Each structure stands twice: as structure tokens, then as C-alpha cells.
């Protein structure tokens, strides 16, 4: 067995960033920007009013004559002289000659004349040109494009961007004991569930994922399904990666030309884990137990997909919380314990860590990391976790 960190380093060595493509702005949500994007104009592109009120010159007066109006999208074309004012609304260009905006609450108006009812405020209520960004300012890459970045790209007048191609992920469940949801299982069969979680996780990382037919426990069946994944960037198999008589993923993949980087990782749940390359694809062989496969998906598949999209070779981010109750010593494998975050920054591992219990995983919002060989921990100690 090798440590999780070493196994993940092997996975990263098997990955090269995917090619890029130009994508239009409406379709960029969640994509990974690979080339910086430069603003095409200043924002705001002119000095803009920050309030509804009256634009006046620097000359101070008790009253002003209103000579026009400026609204968003409708600039006032003239010049503001001393003791003159232009009615102005938020977002409108500040007219030439004006150097402050008096908010409408601080004046009274009769006809075309306004009179101050409050002393002039210190604030000018004008947003200078380029306050937000200037032409040539960049959105750096690589980065995942969130809604805020899409708004920024639009404001920068950038209608498209260069992003990573979406990874193509093929997910293969294996085993005669499995049937798909909605089918009629025999008494000795169970419903295939892991693939649906892994598909959702892959798609959340920006991939296009598909679930292939279940491969039965024969070499011919597994080979046929693996051949359906020939165009994938990542092939994820579920089950069949151990060393039993029916665990065929390793031998069949090797017969098909796969290279294997490692087998067995010092972690629980999830020891029977393998990785390698099959054709042009990264191959991840995950355990069959539901929690084991999903935990391995968090620890290996998600970082792999991020690396494929150019986001770098990094493990999942961790955070620190205060252990709510005592924890006994751990064994030789790092334990990723289903846990819940509580008030005051505490974390509590679930009492039942059986790797077959999906219901416990659904209750958890964190994986508490108990290092290999770690001694007992007392309530109040700080421990790291992976948010779920």
C-alpha cells in the first residue's frame, strides 16, 4: 500500500491538460478559463453619478438654475457653468463642467431653480471613469468561471473566452450482482448506485459524464464495455479492482494495453484503488462499496478532473475544526470519516463508519481526516477535514 498523497501524485503524473476551445459568453458558466481576458473599455466608461440628484460645478452657491437633465443612456450635451445644475440620475454621465452631485434629498425645487436645504456633503457622489476596471485590465487564468466572472466578462465587452475542453468521462459499474434502478433485481442482486453519484460529481467539476452499461463478471463483457469508452479522457470503473476471482478490471485492462501506476492505497474507506492509462484515457479503478467509491471520487477523481482542465495538480482543499468528542487511535491507513460540522466550529464523526452505508454519507457534510498511525485525540483538539 502507498499513502494517499503518493497515490495522488502518481495520478497527476498521468494527466496532461486538455486542449482549449473558444466558447461564447452565454455558455461559459463553470468552464475553466485558460487564457487571460483583457477589458476592451473602462468601467464606468465615463464619470458617472452615484446618486439621484443635481450635477453642479465646484463653485458653491445657495441656489442653482436647472438647465437640463441627464439619465442613464441619455447624456446631457451641454456644459455646466457656476450656479447652474443638471438634474441627474444614478448611472448617468456627469456633464462637462460638473464636479459634484448634490443628492435630491438635500435640495428643494421650485420650477427651474433648486435651493440647498442642507450643507454640501463631503462626498462628491461621482464614480470616476475606470473606477471598477480600465481598458487592458485582465481576468487572470487559469480559473473556474463563476457567475461573477461572467458578469465581469460582459462588462469588459468580451463576448467569448478561451477555456478548457470539457473532460469526457465514462463510468463503468462492474459485477453480476448489479442491476440498474427501475429493473427487477433477483433476491441475490442489488441496485447500482455509485455511478450516479460519480457522474454528478464529475459534472459538477465541469465534465461531460456518461454511465455505460454494467459489465458482468466476464472478461468478454468488461472488455466490450471498456471498448465503448475508447473516446473518453477519464474512465472510472466501480468494483472489480481488488484481487478476488471475480475482480477483473486490472487483468482485462492490462490485456488491453493499460499501464498501471499503483494498486492499493493506505486509506479507508477505499483501499482497493488503482490508476493507470488505457489508450488516451486516465483509468481510475474505484472500489465497489458505495461509500468507498464516492470518497475515492472526492480524493482522486475530482482533483484529476481539475488538473485535466488546467487548474493545477492539487489535492482537495481542507479546513480545520475542533473535535467535539474523543477519538480513539487510528490504524495504519488514513481514515476519512463521515462527520458533521457543528456550532462553534466543531466536528463530530458519525459513530458508524461502515463503508456500505450511503445513508450515513448523506447525513455528513465533511470527511474528518484521521491520519495513519495517529494516536487518540481528545475533544477540543484541532483536526483537518474536507468539506462535502
Amino acid at each position: 500500500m502507498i499513502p494517499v498523497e503518493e497515490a495522488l501524485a502518481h495520478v497527476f503524473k498521468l494527466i496532461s491538460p486538455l486542449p482549449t476551445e473558444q466558447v461564447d459568453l452565454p455558455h461559459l458558466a463553470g468552464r475553466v478559463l485558460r487564457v487571460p481576458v483583457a477589458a476592451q473599455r473602462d468601467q464606468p466608461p465615463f464619470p458617472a453619478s452615484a446618486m439621484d440628484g443635481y450635477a453642479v460645478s465646484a463653485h458653491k452657491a445657495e441656489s442653482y438654475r436647472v438647465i437640463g437633465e441627464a439619465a442613464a443612456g441619455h447624456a446631457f450635451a451641454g456644459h455646466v457653468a457656476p450656479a447652474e445644475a443638471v438634474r441627474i440620475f444614478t448611472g448617468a454621465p456627469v456633464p462637462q463642467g460638473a464636479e459634484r452631485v448634490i443628492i435630491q434629498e438635500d435640495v428643494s425645487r421650485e420650477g427651474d431653480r433648486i435651493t440647498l436645504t442642507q450643507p454640501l456633503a463631503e462626498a462628491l457622489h461621482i464614480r470616476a471613469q475606470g473606477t471598477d476596471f480600465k481598458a487592458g485590465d485582465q481576468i487572470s487564468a487559469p480559473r473556474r468561471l463563476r457567475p461573477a466572472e461572467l458578469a465581469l466578462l460582459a462588462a469588459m465587452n468580451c463576448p467569448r473566452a478561451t477555456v478548457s475542453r470539457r473532460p469526457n468521462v465514462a463510468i463503468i459499474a462492474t459485477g453480476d450482482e448489479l442491476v440498474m434502478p427501475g429493473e427487477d433485481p433477483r433476491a441475490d442482486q442489488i441496485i447500482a448506485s455509485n455511478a450516479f453519484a460519480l457522474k454528478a460529481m464529475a459534472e459538477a467539476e465541469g465534465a461531460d459524464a456518461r454511465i455505460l452499461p454494467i459489465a458482468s463478471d466476464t472478461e468478454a463483457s468488461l472488455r466490450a464495455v471498456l471498448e465503448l469508452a475508447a473516446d473518453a479522457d477519464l474512465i472510472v470503473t466501480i468494483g472489480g479492482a481488488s484481487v478476488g476471482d471475480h475482480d477483473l478490471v486490472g487483468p482485462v485492462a492490462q490485456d488491453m494495453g493499460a499501464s498501471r501506476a499503483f494498486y492499493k492505497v493506505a486509506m479507508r474507506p477505499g483501499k482497493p484503488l488503482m490508476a493507470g492509462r488505457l489508450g488516451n484515457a486516465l483509468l481510475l479503478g474505484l472500489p465497489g462499496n458505495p461509500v468507498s467509491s464516492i470518497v475515492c471520487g472526492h480524493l482522486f477523481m475530482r482533483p484529476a478532473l481539475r488538473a485535466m482542465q488546467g487548474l493545477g495538480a492539487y489535492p482537495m482543499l481542507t479546513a480545520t475544526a475542533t473535535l467535539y468528542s474523543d477519538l480513539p487511535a487510528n490504524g495504519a491507513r488514513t481514515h476519512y470519516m463521515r462527520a458533521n460540522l457543528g456550532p462553534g466550529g466543531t466536528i463530530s464523526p458519525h459513530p458508524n463508519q461502515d463503508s456500505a452505508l450511503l445513508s450515513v454519507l448523506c447525513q455528513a457534510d465533511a470527511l474528518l481526516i484521521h491520519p495513519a498511525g495517529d494516536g487518540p485525540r481528545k475533544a477540543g483538539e484541532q483536526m483537518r477535514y474536507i468539506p462535502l
Side-chain angles (χ1 to χ4, degrees), residues 3-349:
V4 172
E5 296 77 12
E6 183 179 342
L8 187 56
H10 281 300
V11 169
F12 288 143
K13 289 179 182 177
L14 299 170
I15 294 171
S16 297
L18 293 171
T20 61
E21 59 186 6
Q22 284 264 319
V23 173
D24 290 338
L25 181 59
H27 308 292
L28 284 173
R31 302 298 293 268
V32 174
L33 184 69
R34 290 279 292 279
V35 177
V37 180
Q40 301 302 299
R41 66 196 315 237
D42 296 345
Q43 178 65 18
F46 42 75
S49 178
M51 303 289 285
D52 293 343
Y54 295 87
V56 300
S57 71
H59 174 79
K60 295 182 179 180
E62 291 298 320
S63 65
Y64 301 83
R65 183 171 65 90
V66 180
I67 61 171
E69 182 175 290
H74 300 279
F76 176 76
H79 185 278
V80 178
E84 292 181 339
V86 168
R87 179 70 166 122
I88 196 165
F89 298 92
T90 303
V94 176
Q96 291 186 2
E99 296 188 31
R100 70 160 60 236
V101 171
I102 304 173
I103 64 174
Q104 60 190 16
E105 293 85 354
D106 290 349
V107 302
S108 63
R109 179 169 178 173
E110 291 186 11
D112 66 351
R113 184 160 294 276
I114 60 169
T115 301
L116 289 176
T117 59
Q118 299 290 334
L120 283 175
E122 291 293 328
L124 300 180
H125 303 302
I126 293 175
R127 297 187 179 107
Q129 180 173 339
T131 299
D132 194 357
F133 55 81
K134 297 184 182 299
D137 287 352
Q138 292 189 340
I139 299 178
S140 61
R143 66 165 66 204
R144 181 88 62 187
L145 293 173
R146 304 166 300 171
E149 279 90 3
L150 300 194
L152 184 57
L153 283 167
M156 287 177 160
N157 199 25
C158 299
R160 63 191 59 84
T162 301
V163 296
S164 291
R165 175 173 64 77
R166 290 189 185 276
N168 183 337
V169 179
I171 301 170
I172 303 170
T174 69
D176 290 343
E177 75 277 15
L178 298 177
V179 297
M180 293 297 284
E183 296 183 12
D184 187 16
R186 300 192 311 262
D188 59 354
Q189 289 182 309
I190 60 174
I191 309 300
S193 58
N194 311 357
F196 297 93
L198 293 167
K199 180 177 185 291
M201 291 163 63
E203 290 172 343
E205 292 295 343
D208 288 325
R210 66 191 193 275
I211 298 173
L212 295 183
I214 295 171
S216 63
D217 288 326
T218 66
E219 293 188 9
S221 175
L222 180 57
R223 180 183 289 269
V225 180
L226 284 170
E227 287 173 349
L228 294 176
D231 61 340
D233 303 301
L234 170 61
I235 301 171
V236 179
T237 62
I238 307 166
S242 191
V243 291
D245 293 341
H246 300 287
D247 294 315
L248 303 175
V249 171
V252 171
Q254 191 168 353
D255 287 347
M256 295 176 68
S259 61
R260 190 161 71 178
F262 64 85
Y263 165 66
K264 288 189 180 181
V265 180
M267 60 179 288
R268 61 176 178 142
K271 180 178 70 171
L273 175 80
M274 61 169 285
R277 287 202 68 85
L278 179 59
N280 294 321
L282 170 66
L283 174 65
L284 287 179
L286 306 187
N289 269 331
V291 177
S292 300
S293 67
I294 294 170
V295 169
C296 288
H298 283 294
L299 295 177
F300 293 94
M301 183 184 74
R302 292 178 64 192
L305 289 171
R306 294 178 184 186
M308 283 183 182
Q309 294 172 85
L311 288 174
Y314 302 105
M316 295 299 294
L317 291 176
T318 62
T320 302
T322 302
L323 192 61
Y324 183 76
S325 57
D326 293 351
L327 195 63
N330 191 24
R333 293 184 284 159
T334 301
H335 196 179
Y336 295 88
M337 308 179 74
R338 284 153 285 174
N340 288 98
L341 300 171
T346 59
I347 189 166
S348 303

